[in-house]
Amino acid sequence: MGNPKNLERAGYKDKGGNIAYDPEFECTGGSSDPNDRQCPYETKESDAMGLETTGWDGRLMHLNMPSFRDPLCPRTLKYLFTKAKRPNDIRVRVLQQNMDVDDDCLETYCKMMAQLREETGGGDTSKGGPAGEDCPHRDQIFVHPISAKDAAGPTYARGLIGQDMHAAYAKNEISPQDFCMSTDSHMDFEPEWDEKMVNMWDQAKNEYAVLSTYVANIDQLGQNLNGVHEVPHLCMITFTSQVRTTATKCARNLVKPKLTNAVWGAGLSFSKCHAELKVPVDPHTPGIFDGEEFNRAARFFTYGYDVYTPNRTSFMTITDLNTIQRRRLGGTGNLGKRTYKMHTTD
């Protein structure tokens, strides 16, 4: 309800306020007539390709991460594997856009895991893997390297990952019933984040659900914000040369993901992999930033997919991006921290 006219119609003349939300509205549209009831498309046995209709037994989880000269990329790999419940079932694709002076994401991750093994004595993935192992989960990480000089913006990078996904699908390395997540290369995660994301997706009860939002600050990881489980809710856009998603409001105490539609955020996109295979990112839009997210949202919608706000957040943005900013601009000075603030209606 970020539009001031919507707030005024709802009885809020000022910019703040809370608006009650009934999850049943997604099926009824506000009508009490049972004949008007129309819910999203719930997964059927015929869709599941011989698997259970819920959970992820027999499924893999594929993470897609574009990385532009990002020194936090190795740490993101470390966190996502060491904090996962099922690290052996995760596959990662990194579109690495580096200069020669930059640390390689995979090799630096391997060094971090070796250091963790030395500190803990080794063991399962959370302790750096078994003693003597070279680099746990190395064979589950695919890095597509290009020169940072050839980078052409976020849609170009995500589009190249999409092409890699289609190549993997052709080799039967991806199933449409696997789970796919797109995120950034500077993230931290809650323990068992992978299981939590699948369980939350199941709550939407929609085979064509895409969970998406802007993730918040690292200091909010694992927190019950304000005691009401506040989560960022995408609902604010502006018009530049394109349609741009600008910020979020807050959703509180959601019992399940909230249907949003037409507003999608690149920082988190979680769905069945058939969504990524049917609606790949357009790679023919070099240099596009404004309009990237609306383009994807519109294409998801026209392919029958529904975008939802997650009712909980299982990972957050690491906020200290000083080094990234300096590298991108070619300078050495202190540019300050780049943080992602959560806008609320309070």
Side-chain angles (χ1 to χ4, degrees):
M1 302 293 288
N3 187 315
K5 292 183 179 179
N6 291 342
L7 287 170
E8 186 174 351
R9 282 194 292 268
Y12 298 98
K13 294 183 179 180
D14 298 323
K15 63 181 179 180
N18 297 305
I19 299 172
Y21 173 71
D22 179 8
E24 280 296 296
F25 187 86
E26 295 172 10
C27 292
T28 65
S31 172
S32 59
D33 187 343
N35 294 322
D36 291 336
R37 187 176 181 84
Q38 183 175 353
C39 295
Y41 183 88
E42 193 163 355
T43 306
K44 298 178 174 61
E45 289 186 6
S46 58
D47 302 316
M49 301 174 64
L51 303 173
E52 296 293 328
T53 57
T54 59
W56 61 311
D57 286 347
R59 295 180 170 94
L60 298 175
M61 185 178 295
H62 303 264
L63 267 72
N64 301 324
M65 297 194 321
S67 174
F68 183 82
R69 308 195 68 191
D70 191 345
L72 297 178
C73 179
R75 197 187 312 180
T76 300
L77 291 179
K78 175 187 173 183
Y79 289 157
L80 75 86
F81 279 113
T82 58
K83 297 186 179 183
K85 184 174 182 178
R86 290 170 47 177
N88 292 326
D89 293 326
I90 293 174
R91 305 291 183 268
V92 184
R93 290 173 180 81
V94 180
L95 194 285
Q96 179 172 266
Q97 304 158 99
N98 272 4
M99 301 292 285
D100 291 341
V101 296
D102 298 328
D103 293 333
D104 181 82
C105 184
L106 177 56
E107 297 306 321
T108 307
Y109 154 79
C110 290
K111 294 176 182 178
M112 288 182 173
M113 294 299 278
Q115 182 179 353
L116 181 59
R117 284 196 303 278
E118 183 177 342
E119 294 170 353
T120 63
D124 61 17
T125 299
S126 67
K127 296 181 179 179
E133 183 171 343
D134 175 45
C135 183
H137 309 294
R138 184 184 189 118
D139 60 349
Q140 298 167 225
I141 303 168
F142 170 77
V143 178
H144 181 159
I146 67 171
S147 170
K149 294 179 180 179
D150 296 325
T155 57
Y156 178 75
R158 297 185 202 279
L160 290 180
I161 294 178
Q163 292 175 358
D164 292 336
M165 289 190 66
H166 274 270
Y169 173 68
K171 293 186 288 185
N172 294 318
E173 295 174 356
I174 296 179
S175 166
Q177 279 295 306
D178 288 345
F179 285 99
C180 278
M181 186 170 84
S182 295
T183 188
D184 294 325
S185 57
H186 34 265
M187 294 290 179
D188 197 356
F189 300 77
E190 284 188 4
E192 300 188 354
W193 63 271
D194 49 341
E195 186 93 340
K196 292 175 182 178
M197 289 301 299
V198 171
N199 291 342
M200 186 161 48
W201 184 90
D202 280 341
Q203 286 181 297
K205 295 185 176 181
N206 184 351
E207 176 68 14
Y208 295 92
V210 179
L211 307 184
S212 185
T213 190
Y214 285 167
V215 295
N217 292 344
I218 190 67
D219 57 1
Q220 298 172 0
L221 187 64
Q223 300 295 315
N224 177 1
L225 293 181
N226 295 319
V228 289
H229 294 290
E230 286 184 349
V231 294
H233 171 53
L234 294 171
C235 60
M236 302 173 69
I237 63 170
T238 190
F239 294 91
T240 57
S241 58
Q242 304 287 337
V243 181
R244 179 176 179 177
T245 305
T246 54
T248 70
K249 295 292 184 179
C250 268
R252 294 177 163 185
N253 287 328
L254 293 177
V255 297
K256 65 176 186 176
K258 180 190 179 301
L259 185 65
T260 301
N261 266 341
V263 189
W264 175 86
L268 167 62
S269 182
F270 187 90
S271 64
K272 287 283 184 69
C273 285
H274 54 69
E276 293 287 343
L277 295 169
K278 289 182 181 178
V279 193
V281 175
D282 183 356
H284 305 294
T285 50
I288 292 294
F289 182 78
D290 284 10
E292 171 201 5
E293 294 172 324
F294 183 76
N295 176 300
R296 195 85 192 281
R299 293 171 62 239
F300 270 137
F301 185 77
T302 55
Y303 270 80
Y305 289 91
D306 296 312
V307 180
Y308 288 77
T309 294
N311 54 310
R312 300 291 185 269
T313 49
S314 295
F315 52 96
M316 301 288 178
T317 300
I318 300 171
T319 58
D320 189 3
L321 303 186
N322 243 349
T323 307
I324 302 173
Q325 295 281 37
R326 290 198 300 270
R327 283 184 178 177
R328 288 177 176 174
L329 299 180
T332 57
N334 186 346
L335 298 179
K337 291 185 177 181
R338 174 187 176 191
T339 59
Y340 296 79
K341 293 295 185 183
M342 183 165 66
H343 297 257
T344 74
T345 56
D346 295 341

